[in-house]
Amino acid sequence: QVHFVESGGGSVQPGGSLRLACTTSGFTLAHYAIGWFRQAPGKEREGVSCISSSDGTTRYADSVKGRFTISRDNAKNTVYLQMNSLKPEDTAVYYCAARRWLGPLSPAIYDGQYDYWGQGTQVTVSS
């Protein structure tokens, strides 16, 4: 029974920070690649970041490079997304997702590769 709980969303002013957490159960996190995705009103779901199971390799969307950092703590079964210098265009529902994959990451963050999804957490950036 794979289960995700996302937390850490909320409302912040532009330039502020949030840290999202995805706590998992029902599987061994170290065996899965984890991705963060987001969807804003009127837009398709977008890959934000991902981290491999094997060597800690990470990927970031161009829109968040230098501002967001993904990390994982396998002992706590938790993946984090630290979001700094937030912009209004970061407003979206953020989802974590898991893929049972021990190999390298694909060059792109592709949602079709992921098997298990959380319920999402709202992030709102406004003045």
Side-chain angles (χ1 to χ4, degrees):
Q1 61 279 8
V2 175
H3 188 248
F4 294 81
V5 177
E6 293 130 316
S7 62
S11 297
V12 297
Q13 296 182 355
S17 297
L18 288 171
R19 188 177 73 160
L20 306 184
C22 178
T23 301
T24 66
S25 63
F27 63 98
T28 302
L29 182 62
H31 296 169
Y32 289 74
I34 302 295
W36 283 98
F37 298 82
R38 66 187 182 187
Q39 188 163 25
K43 297 183 179 180
E44 295 184 350
R45 188 165 57 195
E46 174 190 20
V48 176
S49 184
C50 60
I51 186 166
S52 74
S53 63
S54 55
D55 61 3
T57 302
T58 59
R59 301 274 190 258
Y60 296 94
D62 289 343
S63 59
V64 307
K65 285 180 180 178
R67 300 188 297 120
F68 290 11
T69 303
I70 190 171
S71 61
R72 64 192 299 156
D73 187 336
N74 290 336
K76 296 181 178 179
N77 281 345
T78 300
V79 177
Y80 302 96
L81 185 68
Q82 179 67 46
M83 305 186 295
N84 298 327
S85 301
L86 284 162
K87 303 175 180 179
E89 51 263 45
D90 295 317
T91 296
V93 177
Y94 284 70
Y95 302 88
C96 67
R99 178 195 183 196
R100 186 173 174 83
W101 177 245
L102 298 177
L105 296 174
S106 300
I109 307 167
Y110 177 50
D111 60 2
Q113 295 179 325
Y114 290 82
D115 304 305
Y116 306 106
W117 293 79
Q119 82 290 337
T121 186
Q122 177 71 47
V123 171
T124 302
V125 185
S126 66
S127 58

